[in-house]
Amino acid sequence: MALLICAGAAGAAVASADAGAPPLPRETAKAEAAALTGSAKLYRKTAEDVTFTFDAHLAMKDKKDPTKATGTFRFVHLDKPGGKGAWAEGRVDCLVTGGKVATVTGVVTDSGSDIDMPDIKGKRIGFTVHDTGGQDRVGYSWAAHGGTPDQPDTLAKCASAAPFEKVRAGTGDYHVLPWKVPYPTQP
C-alpha cells in the first residue's frame, strides 16, 4: 500500500496536534553552527494528515563537518485524524542549511504501521525544509523513489528532494538556523 506516497493527491492525518517548536533561544543559536527544529502538518485536500517533526543540530565545534549533526526526526502519516497509517522516527546523521533552507538525513531507528508497509528500520531517509516565516515547505527523499520510504540503501548523507509540500496554516512551524560555511581564508 502506498500510504506514504505524500507526493500526489494522497496525504495523511496525524493523531498528534504538535504546534511546532519555539524559535531557538539566542544563547542556543550562538552555540550552534546550524539547526532545524519544529513540527507541522502538511497541507492536504483530503482527510489524510501528515506531520513531520525535526530536532536536528550541528554543534559549533563541528561546523566544518555536517555529518557530525545530531538529533532526531519523526513523521506520522494516517489516512484520517486518528485513523490507520504509519510512523517512523530516527537519528540524524547529517544537517546542512543555507539561508532558511535545511536538508537533513537520518537512519530510521523505529517504525510502526497498521497497514501493509515495508519495514524501513535501518534505512537512511532525507528531508528538506524551507522556513519561509509563513507557510513553510517540506520535501522528502522518497518522492523520487516510488512514493514510500523503503528506498534504495544508497541514499547519500544530506540528500533529499526539493521542498515541494506546503505546511497547513496554523499547525506548526519550522525554524532553520543558517550554517555559516567556514571557508578557508587563504589557499
Side-chain angles (χ1 to χ4, degrees), residues 112-152:
S113 177
D114 53 8
I115 59 166
D116 183 24
M117 188 182 106
D119 185 15
I120 61 172
K121 287 181 190 170
K123 299 276 187 178
R124 175 175 292 116
I125 56 179
F127 310 93
T128 303
V129 172
H130 184 195
D131 175 5
T132 67
Q135 189 174 26
D136 295 344
R137 299 180 75 90
V138 179
Y140 33 86
S141 59
W142 59 91
H145 293 283
T148 61
D150 62 324
Q151 57 196 23

Side-chain angles (χ1 to χ4, degrees), residues 1-18:
M1 187 181 266
L3 177 66
L4 291 167
I5 274 188
C6 298
V14 172
S16 74
D18 293 331

Side-chain angles (χ1 to χ4, degrees), residues 13-66:
V14 172
S16 74
D18 293 331
L24 293 170
R26 182 167 288 173
E27 60 277 0
T28 301
K30 288 181 181 178
E32 292 186 314
L36 167 61
T37 60
S39 184
K41 294 182 182 197
L42 299 185
Y43 171 77
R44 291 287 189 247
K45 290 183 178 181
T46 65
E48 293 177 291
D49 197 7
V50 182
T51 297
F52 286 92
T53 303
F54 304 100
D55 186 24
H57 305 272
L58 180 64
M60 191 60 77
K61 69 180 180 65
D62 296 321
K63 68 182 178 185
K64 292 184 179 183
D65 188 357

Side-chain angles (χ1 to χ4, degrees), residues 62-74:
D62 296 321
K63 68 182 178 185
K64 292 184 179 183
D65 188 357
T67 65
K68 301 272 186 184
T70 61
T72 59
F73 64 86
R74 178 178 172 83

